Amino acid sequence: MGLLDLLFGNKTKKIQDFTSRDAVILDVRSKAEYNSGAIPGSKHIPLQQVASKISEIKKWNKPVITCCASGMRSGSAAAILKSNGIEAMNGGGWQSLYQKL
């Protein structure tokens, strides 16, 4: 385990754990950003709508990996989901997350 893993946790291992449990990839970018390229099979809910869609997201009954362009919005989305009792993690930027999947 490297120093960065100690400080920040091993995101790749956590992503593998979530995907092994059939996690949903939730892209929280704008519609235009999402339409310009996204992870195949991902769900799209812009960050501004995540809080109002909590009941819908809970019905998925699966862990959620959030992503966006850089990781800032997905971090906010993951925090919103966690505060509402949904198992979630910030997957960061969608392109780097796609490479880890």
Side-chain angles (χ1 to χ4, degrees):
M1 181 178 274
L3 179 60
L4 291 176
D5 288 347
L6 265 172
L7 293 174
F8 302 108
N10 189 326
K11 187 182 272 189
T12 302
K13 283 186 180 171
K14 192 169 182 184
I15 289 168
Q16 289 170 347
D17 171 52
F18 269 55
T19 54
S20 73
R21 293 184 289 125
D22 205 20
V24 173
I25 308 296
L26 177 61
D27 195 315
V28 298
R29 296 176 295 152
S30 71
K31 184 171 177 47
E33 287 175 299
Y34 184 79
N35 289 342
S36 71
I39 296 172
S42 63
K43 297 198 182 276
H44 176 241
I45 300 174
L47 176 59
Q48 299 85 345
Q49 297 174 18
V50 168
S52 66
K53 303 271 187 178
I54 292 296
S55 60
E56 176 185 324
I57 296 167
K58 282 186 175 183
K59 288 177 187 170
W60 299 344
N61 204 25
K62 295 179 180 178
V64 177
I65 303 173
T66 58
C67 66
C68 63
S70 68
M72 293 298 293
R73 288 174 284 179
S74 56
S76 298
I80 292 167
L81 297 176
K82 287 178 191 175
S83 71
N84 283 278
I86 297 168
E87 185 179 12
M89 70 167 285
N90 179 4
W94 76 273
Q95 289 173 316
S96 64
L97 175 59
Y98 192 23
Q99 292 171 353
K100 291 177 180 124
L101 299 173

